[in-house]
Amino acid sequence: MARALVTGSTAGLGLEFAWQLAGTGHDLVLVSRDERRLRAVAEQIRHVHDVDIEVLRADLSVREDLDHVATKLTDPVAPISLLVNNAGYGLRGRFLEVGVADHEKQMDTLIRAVLVLSHAAARVMVQRRCGAIINVSSLAGYTAAGPYAASKSWVTVFTESLATELRGTGVTATALLPGFVATEFHQRAAINVEGLPRVTWLKAPFVVEQALRDAAKGHVLSIPSVKYRAAGEVSRLAPRRLVRKLTSASWEAELGQRALRRSRRRASRRKLHAPWQREDQ
């Protein structure tokens, strides 16, 4: 039976990858920093799907933990046929407002972990002449929205390079570039996105289903939905001066202002539709 290793597997896209892969009969190795949530997720999946699940608590920003996961990828007894590099998180605040140690830890998770785990997985997969790697990147990588965007730009370019190097080996590499996805990501980073219209958001099941389909076809880039594929092309081809202007660190403040204006409009409409609610009651 095929076996998949998913990092960041207790929430968001990682959790959705775990459920969908189990649904297609994959045994799983689930990796996360939170062992309690890991075991709870594993138990929930086992209750629904008859698959073998191993949990591996690891903080990928810690080199010893990262090396432990890399070793798991080279296990000849229980080989991994699919690696999903999904672990990641955002930081609240502009570059100079956040301590450099926090930036370094984030880069270790978003960049170094992807590099090390992709290297370990690809080498053994090439020997077996089969396997796939999905690196979760982001359309933010086409913008100029700080260190997180820069790290995702690296993930995309790295995956494209790896895919080229793996051509003809039976192993594929795919970068998943979603836009805004309805997960815990923004809430955990305390990022205010209330000003975004509903049409902007994608649902995690759709994003993961598309990513797995594209990876199975050997596509190098997976960008879910026509609207985001168009947005990606515009961002990639637009003059960088314009991109910097539209996607600077001030975007969150603008979203906050939009959310405030929307809230005020809703309050005004409620007053119009409920004239019996007098302020002196």
Side-chain angles (χ1 to χ4, degrees):
M1 183 177 290
R3 191 176 186 86
L5 186 148
V6 183
T7 68
S9 54
T10 58
L13 291 178
L15 179 59
E16 185 62 33
F17 268 110
W19 275 103
Q20 290 200 26
L21 288 167
T24 56
H26 284 75
D27 289 334
L28 300 173
V29 178
L30 302 181
V31 181
S32 174
R33 293 178 295 178
D34 190 332
E35 185 169 1
R36 181 186 63 81
R37 290 187 69 172
L38 265 177
R39 296 193 179 281
V41 166
E43 187 61 30
Q44 290 168 4
I45 295 176
R46 289 192 193 102
H47 187 70
V48 178
H49 300 292
D50 184 20
V51 295
D52 179 66
I53 303 177
E54 180 179 354
V55 298
L56 192 59
R57 196 217 69 81
D59 182 343
L60 297 182
S61 68
V62 177
R63 186 60 200 238
E64 183 179 358
D65 287 6
L66 178 60
D67 287 342
H68 186 43
V69 179
T71 299
K72 175 61 64 175
L73 287 165
T74 63
D75 185 353
V77 177
I80 303 295
S81 57
L82 171 64
L83 165 64
V84 181
N85 275 314
N86 168 76
Y89 59 94
L91 295 174
R92 179 173 176 80
R94 299 188 181 189
F95 175 63
L96 297 181
E97 295 171 346
V98 177
V100 71
D102 292 329
H103 284 302
E104 288 182 305
K105 186 173 182 177
Q106 185 192 46
M107 293 300 102
D108 286 341
T109 302
L110 297 178
I111 295 178
R112 186 179 67 177
V114 172
L115 174 73
V116 171
L117 298 184
S118 294
H119 188 271
R123 293 190 74 175
V124 295
M125 288 176 180
V126 167
Q127 291 174 2
R128 298 196 305 269
R129 298 197 65 79
C130 68
I133 297 170
I134 298 176
N135 291 328
V136 178
S137 185
S138 171
L139 283 177
Y142 290 152
T143 73
Y148 179 83
S151 71
K152 291 305 184 180
S153 178
W154 182 91
V155 171
T156 300
V157 174
F158 166 73
T159 307
E160 290 181 299
S161 173
L162 178 60
T164 301
E165 184 172 341
L166 292 174
R167 189 175 298 156
T169 65
V171 183
T172 63
T174 300
L176 170 60
L177 284 72
F180 290 100
V181 184
T183 67
E184 300 176 23
F185 177 87
H186 299 94
Q187 181 181 359
R188 286 186 168 190
I191 298 173
N192 183 4
V193 289
E194 292 182 5
L196 288 171
R198 290 183 180 179
V199 70
T200 307
W201 294 95
L202 298 176
K203 294 182 178 180
F206 168 75
V207 172
V208 170
E209 182 181 359
Q210 186 66 51
L212 292 174
R213 185 182 297 117
D214 287 341
K217 294 178 180 178
H219 292 173
V220 178
L221 299 180
S222 176
I223 305 178
S225 88
V226 174
K227 62 187 176 187
Y228 274 123
R229 285 194 288 274
E233 282 301 298
V234 170
S235 300
R236 188 175 62 85
L237 298 174
R240 294 305 297 174
R241 182 177 180 179
L242 177 62
V243 171
R244 289 193 297 271
K245 182 177 180 179
L246 295 177
T247 63
S248 67
S250 61
W251 72 274
E252 186 180 348
E254 173 60 25
L255 286 178
Q257 290 298 318
R258 291 183 186 179
L260 180 59
R261 291 194 294 268
R262 185 175 297 175
S263 177
R264 287 173 176 171
R265 287 196 298 268
R266 284 198 296 263
S268 297
R269 286 197 294 268
R270 282 196 297 269
K271 288 183 178 180
L272 288 173
H273 293 152
W276 59 87
Q277 295 179 350
R278 297 166 50 112
E279 293 184 359
D280 58 353
Q281 287 181 334

